[in-house]
Amino acid sequence: MPRPLKPRTVGLRPEVCHFKPRGVPSKKLKTAVLTLDEFEAIRLADYEGLSHEEAAILMNISRPTFSRLVEKARVKVAGFIVNAEQLVIEGGNVEYSDHLHCPKCKQEGMDSDGIGKRAEICSNLSSCELNEQETVDAKG
């Protein structure tokens, strides 16, 4: 039996969820579906400019999972542009967060509207993450 998927935290809902080339009917286009967690990964990594480690903490997933997610999203967006497809943003196992914060020390970093604002992660992010790793290493 596969392990149940853990919901990924998304801090911003997309304002527009459907894009297509102008002048081409939707019926004639292939559709690329970008899930909400892939949208969030692209937003955090490419738009906000966060490192994969910082963005993974905000989404409550591991850094390798975030890296796979953002790579998958980039391939879909590239296919949408190169192949002149329509892009639909929907679905995925996500939960929304009104405030993004460091899950370790709970310091908030983004206003609830989140529009046009960089997700400033707590200044203790590195030490929070290091402290957690030190604790795990000490026990293991």
Side-chain angles (χ1 to χ4, degrees):
M1 176 189 240
R3 185 174 156 196
L5 293 177
K6 181 177 160 184
R8 285 118 189 237
T9 303
V10 174
L12 183 66
R13 296 172 196 254
E15 289 184 35
V16 179
C17 295
H18 187 246
F19 302 88
K20 71 174 205 64
R22 191 165 78 182
V24 182
S26 292
K27 294 177 188 177
K28 294 185 178 184
L29 294 170
K30 288 185 178 179
T31 301
V33 178
L34 191 68
T35 61
L36 291 164
D37 53 345
E38 292 168 341
F39 167 80
E40 181 72 352
I42 286 279
R43 186 181 74 80
L44 292 173
D46 297 337
Y47 182 74
E48 298 291 344
L50 298 178
S51 72
H52 286 204
E53 184 176 351
E54 293 170 330
I57 290 171
L58 288 177
M59 289 185 70
N60 287 326
I61 57 177
S62 70
R63 197 230 16 101
T65 299
F66 180 83
S67 294
R68 287 189 299 271
L69 192 62
V70 78
E71 184 61 31
K72 190 175 175 182
R74 286 175 177 160
V75 168
K76 288 180 180 182
V77 171
F80 154 70
I81 294 169
V82 171
N83 300 323
E85 299 173 344
Q86 63 182 336
L87 179 70
V88 177
I89 303 170
E90 66 183 9
N93 187 14
V94 299
E95 61 185 14
Y96 289 95
S97 172
D98 289 339
H99 297 286
L100 295 180
H101 60 274
C102 174
K104 306 300 179 248
C105 68
K106 306 299 182 204
Q107 181 175 338
E108 290 185 2
M110 179 183 260
D111 291 340
S112 59
D113 66 0
I115 299 170
K117 296 184 180 183
R118 179 178 162 79
E120 295 295 337
I121 300 175
C122 86
S123 56
N124 299 324
L125 180 63
S126 296
S127 59
C128 288
E129 192 65 25
L130 288 174
N131 287 338
E132 179 187 357
Q133 289 174 355
E134 290 170 2
T135 305
V136 171
D137 291 342
K139 291 179 182 177

